[in-house]
Amino acid sequence: MYVVSIDPQASTVWWANRITDLPFDFSQEHETPENLKLLQDTGARVHVIANQKGGVGKTTTTLNLGAVVADVLKMSKDGLQHVFIDTPGSLQDENLLLEALKYAHDVIVPMPPEGLAFDPTARTIARVIEPTGLPYKVVINNWDPRDGTADLVDTQEYIDTQGWPRAETVIRRYKVHTRASVEGKVVTQYAKNRVAMEAREDFFRLALEMGYGGRA
């Protein structure tokens, strides 16, 4: 399992460096995006996590999907099977996102159930992702069930109206997720209690839905 960040803000690096037992290999490549070309020779499936709006949960999604897929495949002898790429949340670094998409097999688009995320997500999909012809799915991220279902339903209806493929799995908001970067943990390293198990379940379900349980 391999996780790559091409985000100049390097939040993935900050988080990964705090993890004592990192469950995957990791590198930061925003200054050397040409290195992404090497992924073509690995035979791995490359998954790009993209949205040109910041703060939608790209880094959390990237690291936690990498962690759960590494956990599922930890006994596999098949070599490198999946690579997850965290991308910039800005228009200014669009060239980096486009470089990553050259080598991608699919794209995950995290989107919180907030109106402010709608237009930036639409722009990312229409102007950057869809022209590549790559398969993609929009994943509703950071939904707090305590807020009720109104925002969730509105977001689901917006996605469906746009005709975008939508993941059935919704990533719920948990305090344990927001603390994880500070505590140096990924989702597979959370404490073994009910809340942590529910938080882990969302990422395992998303990986299963996306077919990341083995070599495609």
Side-chain angles (χ1 to χ4, degrees):
M1 195 59 47
Y2 193 48
V3 170
V4 182
S5 171
I6 57 169
D7 184 357
Q9 292 188 4
S11 55
T12 313
V13 177
W14 183 85
W15 188 342
N17 284 342
R18 300 176 72 85
I19 300 172
T20 302
D21 187 15
L22 197 65
F24 43 72
D25 292 325
F26 171 80
S27 68
Q28 176 72 24
E29 304 290 354
H30 74 277
E31 293 183 343
T32 52
E34 63 274 11
N35 287 345
L36 297 178
K37 189 174 183 179
L38 299 175
L39 297 175
Q40 292 179 311
D41 300 326
T42 66
R45 305 291 292 182
V46 178
H47 318 292
V48 169
I49 290 75
N51 193 322
Q52 290 176 298
K53 185 182 188 319
V56 298
K58 290 186 295 296
T59 298
T60 300
T61 301
T62 303
L63 290 177
N64 284 330
L65 274 178
V68 299
V69 175
D71 187 70
V72 170
L73 300 177
K74 59 189 173 185
M75 302 304 293
S76 174
K77 307 291 187 188
D78 292 338
L80 182 62
Q81 296 185 42
H82 295 277
V83 177
F84 295 90
I85 302 181
D86 188 17
T87 62
S90 69
L91 301 178
Q92 291 78 10
D93 297 305
E94 187 170 293
N95 61 311
L96 292 171
L97 172 54
L98 290 171
E99 186 67 17
L101 292 173
K102 290 180 184 179
Y103 311 108
H105 292 88
D106 61 19
V107 186
I108 291 176
V109 186
M111 178 181 175
E114 303 168 2
L116 289 175
F118 288 11
D119 285 349
T121 302
R123 183 202 182 279
T124 302
I125 291 172
R127 297 186 59 177
V128 183
I129 297 173
E130 287 185 334
T132 69
L134 288 167
Y136 69 91
K137 277 194 177 180
V138 180
V139 178
I140 298 176
N141 181 59
N142 207 30
W143 169 59
D144 192 337
R146 295 173 300 181
D147 293 338
T149 61
D151 290 341
L152 175 62
V153 171
D154 286 348
T155 304
Q156 290 171 330
E157 291 178 348
Y158 175 77
I159 293 169
D160 295 344
T161 298
Q162 298 299 314
W164 301 335
R166 171 171 59 85
E168 292 298 321
T169 302
V170 174
I171 305 298
R172 293 167 289 182
R173 181 177 183 178
Y174 286 100
K175 185 69 173 179
V176 65
H177 288 324
T178 60
R179 291 289 307 165
S181 60
V182 176
E183 295 176 352
K185 295 179 180 178
V186 286
V187 70
T188 52
Q189 299 167 332
Y190 290 175
K192 298 186 183 305
N193 56 51
R194 181 185 60 80
V195 172
M197 287 180 64
E198 290 178 355
R200 284 195 296 271
E201 179 186 10
D202 291 346
F203 285 98
F204 277 104
R205 289 177 59 200
L206 179 59
L208 181 63
E209 179 179 349
M210 298 296 295
Y212 297 163
R215 187 179 295 277

